[in-house]
């Protein structure tokens, strides 16, 4: 009888897994609780609800830019100190968000919150890579993501209740008690692992990577304007391309580059990273678009709109324990190739929503999308890092986290560009049509990513 290469989690690792799960929970709660609150925040700050993506993009982009230093900081200062500092910074920035009285103040506070979040999730995942045996890695990643999915489960509905019955400021204050608990347990149970022979920080490489990401993000942000200037578009595009090319040659020459070029020689990592980027471009915009559509177009109040996200989160949670068996049975290539198409079709199916769609059908609809979404995230994350050596784990984990956040940031910006473009074409009176076409565009883009995963080796487990 064939023995599975994936094993259940041993009891000695469970306390650490729960601690990592707290970080995942904080980050996921904050990422989802704000989406339902965006229309109310816009109303309070006298802004257009369709132009509130900057609050989300600022957080995600700050994470993407900061993540490249997470591996080096962790190696130098150790897991315990880094994770503790991340929780404290995240919690403090949450208070600053709650005290904001303008859109500019809120965006600035979200940047600092994103810096804290840039260490929470990747350092948590890095903890698993350094502590867990490889045979238990998939089960461990699935385990910590389940409590992390509680954030999306209660986040949208909690955000809706808070903004409807109190004020939007409270959606950030909820992070404070959770952060205090996480900080205490970090000091008590997290091992203070650190690398004795870490390399000097690659400042030039970091500047080039940050320039590339910021230029691309500002480019997409510029395109959301009603009349983007061609000169500014070309300048931003030029900065992004030049910085990316310079980093490529920099990484080729410098063995200690922040992201070494030879890590992409690992086939599963190379394909997993590329697939992650393109699959998440469309997927990253869904948590932003759906609550906005439910409130602005379907006229649901914030509480009901938040509750509608619960079936999606439940579907994500309930399928988790079956993903390991699914991969053992069919392999990563088959699961990811087929499931990516299902995710894309699921996005396009949101174009069918209207004021006449029965609530019971929406519940089933969102639940099924949560199922395929959960399979997608867990499998493509695991296939990206499973074949890396211990020495490359830190870099690989950081690259994966950067790609996740950058693609999410760009996905939200792309969705905003599409939504604004269709709104200008059809007018605010036909805003439902604008949302429908946006979902179709995102779904088609996601379906195309299935060709990337098809390049994985057959029956790779």
């Amino acid at each position: 009888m064939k023995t599975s290469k994936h094993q259940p989690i041993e009891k000695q690792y469970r306390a650490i897994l729960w601690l990592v799960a707290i970080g995942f929970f904080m980050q996921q709660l904050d990422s989802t609780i704000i989406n339902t609150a965006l229309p109310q925040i816009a109303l309070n700050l006298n802004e257009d609800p369709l132009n509130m993506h900057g609050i989300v993009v600022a957080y995600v982009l700050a994470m993407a830019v900061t993540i490249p230093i997470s591996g080096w900081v962790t190696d130098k200062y150790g897991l315990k100190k880094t994770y503790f500092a991340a929780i404290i910074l995240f919690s403090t920035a949450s208070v600053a968000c709650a005290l904001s009285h303008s859109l500019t103040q809120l965006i600035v506070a979200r940047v600092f919150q994103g810096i804290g979040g840039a260490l929470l999730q990747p350092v948590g995942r890095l903890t698993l890579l350094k502590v867990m045996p490889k045979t238990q890695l998939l089960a461990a990643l699935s385990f910590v993501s389940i409590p992390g999915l509680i954030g999306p489960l209660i986040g949208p509905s909690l955000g809706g209740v808070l903004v409807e019955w109190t004020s939007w400021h409270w959606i950030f204050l909820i992070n404070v008690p959770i952060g205090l608990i996480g900080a205490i347990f970090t000091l008590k149970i997290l091992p203070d692992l650190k690398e004795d022979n870490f390399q000097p920080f690659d400042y030039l490489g970091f500047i080039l990577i940050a320039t590339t990401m910021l230029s691309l993000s500002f480019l997409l942000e510029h395109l959301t304007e009603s009349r983007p200037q061609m000169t500014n578009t070309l300048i931003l595009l030029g900065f992004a391309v030049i910085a990316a090319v310079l980093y490529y040659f920099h990484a080729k020459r410098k063995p200690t580059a922040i992201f070494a070029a030879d890590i992409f020689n690992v086939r599963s990592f190379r394909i997993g990273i590329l697939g992650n980027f393109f699959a998440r471009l469309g997927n990253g915009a869904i948590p932003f678009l759906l609550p906005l559509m439910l409130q602005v177009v379907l006229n649901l109040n914030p509480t009901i709109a938040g509750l509608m996200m619960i079936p999606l989160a439940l579907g994500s949670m309930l399928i988790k324990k079956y993903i390991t068996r699914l991969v053992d049975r069919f392999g990563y290539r088959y699961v990811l190739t087929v499931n990516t198409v299902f995710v894309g079709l699921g996005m396009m199916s949101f174009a069918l929503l209207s004021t006449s769609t029965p609530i019971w059908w929406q519940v089933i609809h969102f639940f099924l999308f949560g199922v395929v979404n959960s399979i997608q995230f867990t499998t493509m994350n695991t296939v990206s890092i499973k074949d890396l050596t211990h020495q490359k784990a830190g870099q690989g984990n950081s690259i994966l986290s950067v790609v996740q956040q950058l693609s999410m940031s760009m996905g939200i910006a792309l969705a905003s560009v599409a939504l604004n473009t269709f709104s200008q074409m059809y007018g605010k009176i036909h805003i439902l049509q604008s949302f429908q076409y946006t979902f179709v565009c995102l779904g088609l883009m996601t379906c195309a990513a299935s060709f990337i995963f098809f390049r994985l080796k057959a029956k790779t487990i």
Side-chain angles (χ1 to χ4, degrees):
M1 182 177 177
K2 185 178 178 179
T3 303
S4 172
K5 294 183 179 181
H6 300 126
Q7 298 177 1
I9 301 166
E10 296 177 14
K11 187 176 181 180
Q12 59 180 317
Y13 299 114
R14 291 178 184 173
I16 293 176
L17 293 183
W18 276 106
L19 176 60
V20 173
I22 289 177
F24 278 40
F25 173 77
M26 289 180 63
Q27 201 275 331
Q28 290 296 325
L29 177 66
D30 191 76
S31 297
T32 56
I33 198 173
I34 194 172
N35 292 322
T36 311
L38 287 177
Q40 291 297 317
I41 296 176
L43 180 64
N44 183 257
L45 301 179
N46 298 314
E47 298 285 344
D48 186 344
L50 300 185
N51 294 328
M52 296 299 288
H53 61 279
I55 297 176
V56 182
V57 171
Y59 174 80
V60 177
L61 183 58
M63 288 188 66
V65 173
T66 309
I67 282 171
I69 70 172
S70 63
W72 181 83
V73 170
T74 305
D75 288 342
K76 181 175 182 179
Y77 297 104
L79 287 173
K80 178 180 290 188
K81 294 185 182 67
T82 304
Y83 202 66
F84 178 80
I87 292 177
I88 295 299
L89 177 58
F90 188 88
S91 302
T92 304
S94 296
V95 175
C97 289
L99 297 176
S100 299
H101 297 290
S102 69
L103 181 60
T104 301
Q105 291 177 3
L106 182 55
I107 289 177
V108 171
R110 288 283 285 173
V111 169
F112 284 98
Q113 196 180 34
I115 294 173
L119 297 176
L120 271 179
Q121 219 169 2
V123 173
R125 191 181 293 117
L126 183 58
T127 300
L128 301 185
L129 288 172
K130 288 181 176 291
V131 174
M132 298 296 300
K134 280 187 174 293
T135 54
Q136 299 176 40
L137 181 59
L138 181 59
L141 289 172
S142 296
F143 177 87
V144 299
S145 61
I146 290 176
L149 285 170
I150 297 176
L153 179 64
I154 69 173
S157 54
L158 180 60
V161 170
L162 289 175
V163 299
E164 191 170 359
W165 296 99
T166 58
S167 74
W168 61 266
H169 304 84
W170 289 94
I171 67 175
F172 297 107
L173 293 175
I174 196 70
N175 291 322
V176 177
I178 303 170
L180 291 176
I181 294 172
I184 292 171
F185 276 91
T186 297
L187 296 177
K188 285 184 174 294
I189 67 174
L190 194 65
D192 196 18
L193 299 177
K194 63 173 66 175
E195 294 292 333
D196 295 327
N197 299 315
F198 63 90
Q199 300 291 339
F201 185 64
D202 179 21
Y203 291 98
L204 177 58
F206 174 71
I207 292 172
L208 292 174
I209 290 173
T211 301
T212 302
M213 291 190 291
L214 290 172
S215 298
L216 287 174
S217 298
F218 290 152
L219 171 62
L220 291 174
E221 180 68 22
H222 178 62
L223 293 176
T224 62
E225 298 176 2
S226 57
R227 294 181 179 178
Q229 296 182 3
M230 181 60 66
T231 302
N232 293 339
T233 300
L234 293 176
I235 290 175
L236 290 170
L237 180 61
F239 270 119
V241 172
I242 292 172
V245 171
L246 288 176
Y247 181 79
Y248 173 78
F249 289 108
H250 170 75
K252 281 284 187 180
R253 293 195 322 269
K254 188 178 179 66
T256 59
I258 193 168
F259 294 148
D262 62 352
I263 195 172
F264 290 95
N265 293 335
V266 180
R267 180 184 177 86
S268 59
F269 177 78
R270 183 173 65 250
I271 295 174
I273 289 296
L274 193 63
N276 256 282
F277 179 79
F278 285 100
R280 288 176 183 272
L281 274 178
N283 217 326
I286 297 301
F288 166 73
L289 284 177
L290 266 184
L292 196 62
M293 179 182 180
L294 291 175
Q295 294 177 73
V296 174
V297 180
L298 304 187
N299 300 317
L300 299 181
N301 63 47
T303 301
I304 300 300
L307 290 173
M308 290 303 298
M309 298 296 102
I310 291 181
L312 195 152
L314 281 175
S316 298
M317 292 179 63
L318 293 178
I319 196 62
K320 281 292 180 182
K321 63 179 180 179
Y322 301 106
I323 296 177
T324 301
R325 279 182 258 175
L326 192 66
V327 173
D328 282 338
R329 174 68 179 85
F330 297 103
Y332 283 105
R333 184 174 77 167
Y334 182 83
V335 171
L336 282 169
T337 301
V338 174
N339 195 74
T340 303
V341 175
F342 286 159
V343 172
L345 293 175
M347 290 183 204
M348 287 187 278
S349 69
F350 290 131
L352 301 175
L353 294 177
S354 68
T355 52
S356 61
T357 305
I359 291 293
W360 64 267
W361 172 244
Q362 292 185 40
V363 170
I364 296 174
H365 188 178
F366 290 7
F367 177 86
L368 293 176
F369 185 74
V371 169
V372 295
N373 229 19
S374 184
I375 295 172
Q376 186 74 16
F377 287 155
T378 302
T379 49
M380 69 183 182
N381 289 349
T382 307
V383 78
S384 300
I385 60 179
K386 70 183 185 67
D387 293 331
L388 297 179
T389 63
H390 176 76
Q391 291 75 18
K392 294 293 184 183
Q395 280 196 13
N397 176 67
S398 294
I399 294 174
L400 175 61
S401 298
V402 167
V403 167
Q404 289 174 351
Q405 301 305 322
L406 179 62
S407 59
M408 187 183 305
S409 171
M410 294 180 66
I412 294 171
L414 282 172
S416 298
V417 170
L419 190 58
N420 287 329
T421 300
F422 290 128
S423 295
Q424 292 172 17
M425 291 173 60
Y426 301 106
K428 293 293 181 69
I429 299 178
H430 303 288
I431 189 64
L432 173 60
Q433 196 171 11
S434 299
F435 272 95
Q436 290 172 336
Y437 287 152
T438 300
F439 281 121
V440 170
C441 291
L442 296 177
L444 289 173
M445 185 167 54
T446 302
C447 285
S450 64
F451 291 102
I452 299 174
F453 294 115
F454 187 73
R455 296 177 58 205
L456 289 167
K457 293 181 180 179
K459 198 61 177 177
T460 301
I461 61 173

